[in-house]
Amino acid sequence: MSENSLTSSSLPPPRKPVLPDFQQRYELLVASISDYAIYMLDTEGYVSSWNAGAERFKGYKAHEIMGHHFSRFYTEEDRAAGLPARALAAARDEGRFEGEGWRVRNDGTRFWASVVIDPIRNGAGELLGFAKITRDITDRRAAQEALRQSEQHFRLLVQGVTDYAIYMLSPQGEITNWNVGAQRIKGYSQEEVLGSHFRRFFTDEDRAAGTPERALETAAREGRYESEGWRMRRDGTRFFAHAVIDAIHDEQRTLIGFAKITRDVTEQRATAASLEQTRNALFQAQKMEAIGQLTGGVAHDFNNLLAVLSSGVDIMHAQQPGPTTLRVLDSMRRAIDRGALLTQQLLSFARQQPLSAALHQANALIGSFEQVLRRASGPQVSFIFDLAPRLASIVVDEARFEATLLNLVVNARDAMPAGGTLTLETRNVRLAENEVGTLPVGEYVRVTVRDTGTGMTPEVLMRAFEPFFTTKPVGKGTGLGLSQVYGFITQSGGDVQIRTELDKGTAISVFLPAQQGGIEEAPEAKPHAERVLVVEDDQLVMAVACDLFETMGYDVLSAPDGVAALRLLEQHGTIDTGVDVLFTDLMMPNGLTGLELARIVRERWPGIKIIIASGYPQQALQGEPADLRDFDFVGKPYRLADLARHLRAAG
């Protein structure tokens, strides 16, 4: 037996249905429906049938409503507006009317209804009436309204936030909405960013590194991505941002986008950095104070021991010993003297050396010590003096200040074993609170020694001022140079700052309090220049030239070659360099002659008077490709009268 025959035999046998006619069946169907109000209207809108659902929704029995106009279900406002008539007209003319609105029950209460009205026509197309279906959707509308209000409140909340940029991204990273905070922080209006990729807010470096894409991948994989970094505003400026990206999924866990929240934390970061800097400065000051106290105590005790040894050597000398003993005593005396010098250095670091402080002009001290500093810098170093013309006075011990400069210059020279440029600069500065160490707000004189040498690592920088710490080979340094600088400057009421970058050089600046009323006034106006730049590669010749110009009352800048001279002029400004006279040797190293330097200066700074000097007579130089007659020329050796005459001619 087949499967079909088995299945068929298990079914009840068919029989002829016994049902009412079509009209009866329709009436029974409509009458049994209770979830919808289904009733008929005649062509004028009067109720001609009524089902159980209509009675349940509207509260009317059939005998109470039959023959009444359906407009009684509308609110007074809708009846006054003619809505019932328009609904019938729309159904008649357009074949259907559909809408939602408030309707009124028999007891006067209202419910929100979904209404459909269809016209009923006979075979000839003649209108017989209308079929009206109404459903009570008050609960659904209430839920929708609650959802709408919730969404509106959320939008208002998001749009009201101005301290955070809150916006949505598509799964691909395109911006789909934008709040007021985003516009305030990033500078873009909503119209400018919608549809664009959020990578536009990242820096060029981050975009090249794929940071935006990696952020979305992480958020999609892990549900969240959090980071901090530099972001770009519309005007091209940067701000430091804290950003969070959250993945958004639908009910089927399909990724539909990302929520992104960004906050500008630039000020907080700067405040935290300032606080950390202050803490580090305080820690460094406390550490150096502790080391100083320990060092001072050790040096004091060591001095006592040296005094005993020194007295013993003197006593033994007085006993007229033999030649061998004398040689031993001489060696001991030299050792004692070296020990005494060492203890003086230690006491200087510990700020326990008495100072002979007096009011001085830093430029004057540097000028009188310039030749020593130049000799200490060595022949391979290009030494530039960049001294501010109106420098405040300072209270310092002259000898210790010179020792400080010498220590800094020697350190800078040693950091440039293959040669380089060393600059000694003076400036008037105003410091904010804790801008340098723990110095209070006020006016200071800053003296900076800057080199183009090897620089320091962060580890070396942290220990640079510690006594006996040195990176030099054994026998090349005691490690007391910078410690002496630190001790003397802090004992004088100032502080020391080091700025360094590995393989790019170091700048060590000492800050000393400026003295009120101690400003060095600029010289009175002269018929000639106020400042001269002397360019000469021979140190002795340069010294003589500088002395001659200073004798005539000029402020003097100096450079060892043409390249250094141009660098110095550029540092003073692109239009007004503050230099009135260029006095340059003709033959110089580094590939730039005095004549070439003069031409560049005349083209870029036409207001500078130029004098060229040479050991050759001018007549012997006429064969040069360039004609020296364009510039004033002085032959070597020159005297004060010669310079004065040529300065008048150049003017």
Side-chain angles (χ1 to χ4, degrees), residues 212-225:
E213 291 74 17
R214 189 162 56 251
L216 293 186
E217 292 170 2
T218 302
R221 182 178 63 253
E222 301 178 7
R224 178 183 176 85
Y225 176 82

Side-chain angles (χ1 to χ4, degrees), residues 108-129:
T109 59
R110 295 187 178 194
F111 68 98
W112 189 262
S114 171
V115 176
V116 176
I117 302 177
D118 289 295
I120 301 173
R121 300 180 185 277
N122 59 17
E126 181 183 357
L127 180 66
L128 303 179

Side-chain angles (χ1 to χ4, degrees), residues 304-466:
N304 291 337
L305 297 175
L306 289 174
V308 174
L309 293 174
S310 179
S311 298
V313 168
D314 290 341
I315 292 171
M316 294 180 70
H317 258 292
Q319 295 176 355
Q320 298 180 349
T324 302
T325 303
L326 281 174
R327 285 195 299 272
V328 173
L329 290 175
D330 288 340
S331 297
M332 292 174 66
R333 170 58 62 189
R334 287 194 296 270
I336 291 169
D337 291 341
R338 289 182 62 186
L341 177 62
L342 180 61
T343 57
Q344 288 176 6
Q345 292 174 324
L346 291 173
L347 288 171
S348 177
F349 167 74
R351 288 168 282 172
Q352 294 180 13
Q353 282 284 76
L355 299 178
S356 300
L359 188 67
H360 290 283
Q361 220 297 316
N363 284 350
L365 294 179
I366 293 170
S368 63
F369 202 53
E370 178 178 349
Q371 295 310 312
V372 176
L373 297 176
R374 286 191 182 278
R375 284 194 295 272
S377 66
Q380 290 183 296
V381 173
S382 174
F383 204 146
I384 297 174
F385 284 80
D386 182 8
L387 309 182
R390 291 176 54 84
L391 198 66
S393 294
I394 54 177
V395 175
V396 290
D397 183 313
E398 180 178 354
R400 297 297 173 83
F401 183 74
E402 290 175 347
T404 292
L405 294 178
L406 187 59
N407 268 318
L408 295 178
V409 167
V410 169
N411 276 354
R413 178 202 66 193
D414 292 344
M416 301 183 289
T421 300
L422 193 158
T423 304
L424 196 158
E425 173 190 279
T426 59
R427 291 291 186 271
N428 294 314
V429 296
R430 177 172 179 80
L431 296 182
E433 187 74 30
N434 297 329
E435 184 178 347
V436 176
T438 55
L439 291 180
V441 174
E443 305 293 334
Y444 292 83
V445 171
R446 183 186 68 201
V447 181
T448 302
V449 175
R450 184 181 297 107
D451 65 64
T452 57
T454 56
M456 304 181 191
T457 64
E459 294 75 20
V460 171
L461 179 60
M462 289 294 294
R463 303 185 60 191
F465 294 131
E466 294 181 12

Side-chain angles (χ1 to χ4, degrees), residues 35-55:
D35 287 338
Y36 291 84
I38 304 175
Y39 54 98
M40 304 287 291
L41 304 176
D42 64 16
T43 56
E44 301 299 324
Y46 289 89
V47 178
S48 58
S49 72
W50 198 246
N51 79 329
E55 182 177 330

